[in-house]
Amino acid sequence: MTLRVTPAGRLSADQVISVLRAATLAPSTHNTQPWLFTTGAEGIELYADADRVLPIADADRRELLISCGAALFNLRTAIHALGVHPDTTVFPRRDEPDLLAVVRPRTATPVDRRLAELAQAIPRRHTNRTPFGGEPVPPSTVGLLRHAAEAEQAWLPQLDENQLTGLRELVHESHLLQERDPAFGAEWRRWTGRAPTSRDGVPFAAGGSTVADDTWVLRDFGDPAARALAAPPLVVVVGSFGDTPADRLRAGQAMQRVLLTATANGLDASFISQPVEVRATRVRLRHLLGDGLWPQIVLRIGHGSPVARTPRRALADVLLEPPSLTA
Ligand SMILES: Cc1cc2nc3c(=O)[nH]c(=O)nc-3n(C[C@H](O)[C@H](O)[C@H](O)COP(=O)(O)O)c2cc1C
């Protein structure tokens, strides 16, 4: 497929390509990359790629929307870093639920230094499943992570010891439930342990490595011994105030802002999604957090060893033609 991109708003064709590349560097469940884009004279549209939903792990498309929200945050931030305001409308057409956002790069804007730092962190952020050292995350950095979530209208609650213990139990419980589900296992195997040539899915090389303690259970992406991980210095939950598609898309943007803030501050992160993927444990986690928030993402944050980047589909494969920007 050829790459046909025209200028969009104030962006040249080359700039459109660079911001789309930034968008596609977002994390996504099992590296499904469930997004599609159109580009036109007015701007860029982001669509959910319904063919890439995970029917077992993500039956209600919650994680698909979170992944696309992360891509949207990258897109907005990359456009901003070029000195252009990314005028964004989410769910612009009621009758088209897969059209998630329209971003119109219309007016020039002074570049915010913090957002420019986050834009630079986009290609450096990778999910890091290696064991994390015990070095604590300074309270000032925790404050930055909390602010990152709040700047995108989400919330990063401070977890006390009891809540952490409860969360850890929920992680173990949901992990076992998923492990015992043959349909989950089949879906899992389809998307993980991929050969290095694959453009999507989680490559074998992205798995973690052995550690002794079994305090937290991570998923096994390659090396089965990697599931048992020592207590990481920081575990956070990104929560949203509602649980509609718009809330989930917003939570994805908040998650990505948290992840990029971690990267910009020299920290590594990975996901512990089992308790939010299993409906029953997600409800209990919501209760554990005081019933005011919908838990969307659980992350461990700390200092890991360097990891390789995961592959992405070619840009031509995520571009829809012809452009349909009319909203
Ligand atoms: C909503 C969401 C949930 C995820 N859940 C997990 C998880 O439970 N365990 C895990 O190891 N990785 C998880 N990931 C990370 C993806 O596997 C990862 O983003 C993908 O393989 C691309 O790699 P990258 O993040 O290094 O770019 C999740 C990512 C997203 C966006």
Side-chain angles (χ1 to χ4, degrees), residues 24-35 58 62-68 70 122 125-129 178 184 188 191-192 200-203 206-207 217-221 252 255-256 259 269-277 296-300 307-312:
T24 61
L25 291 179
S28 59
T29 321
H30 294 6
N31 200 17
T32 48
Q33 305 164 50
W35 41 66
D58 191 30
R62 194 183 59 82
E63 291 191 332
L64 175 141
L65 288 168
I66 288 174
S67 305
C68 288
I122 290 172
R125 182 217 58 84
H126 308 296
T127 300
N128 190 320
R129 303 182 181 86
Q178 287 187 328
F184 179 88
W188 173 256
W191 284 98
T192 61
D200 54 14
V202 184
V217 180
L218 281 212
R219 279 170 172 167
D220 148 23
F221 276 98
M255 171 198 80
Q256 185 64 358
L259 288 172
S270 68
F271 298 72
I272 314 176
S273 296
Q274 301 96 316
V276 280
E277 283 175 356
Q296 301 288 1
I297 292 288
V298 184
L299 299 171
R300 80 183 174 123
V307 290
R309 50 183 293 194
T310 48
R312 290 297 184 273

Side-chain angles (χ1 to χ4, degrees), residues 14-98:
D14 282 349
Q15 286 176 322
V16 172
I17 290 174
S18 87
V19 299
L20 285 174
R21 284 203 204 290
T24 61
L25 291 179
S28 59
T29 321
H30 294 6
N31 200 17
T32 48
Q33 305 164 50
W35 41 66
L36 292 166
F37 302 89
T38 69
T39 65
E42 272 191 62
I44 299 169
E45 290 176 334
L46 165 65
Y47 286 83
D49 185 345
D51 290 344
R52 290 182 165 255
V53 74
L54 296 169
I56 308 297
D58 191 30
D60 65 354
R61 299 181 13 140
R62 194 183 59 82
E63 291 191 332
L64 175 141
L65 288 168
I66 288 174
S67 305
C68 288
L72 178 58
F73 183 78
N74 279 9
L75 182 65
R76 286 171 40 212
T77 307
I79 294 173
H80 177 90
L82 293 170
V84 179
H85 176 63
D87 185 2
T88 303
T89 311
V90 296
F91 294 102
R93 290 181 216 141
R94 227 175 244 276
D95 57 344
E96 244 188 300
D98 283 344

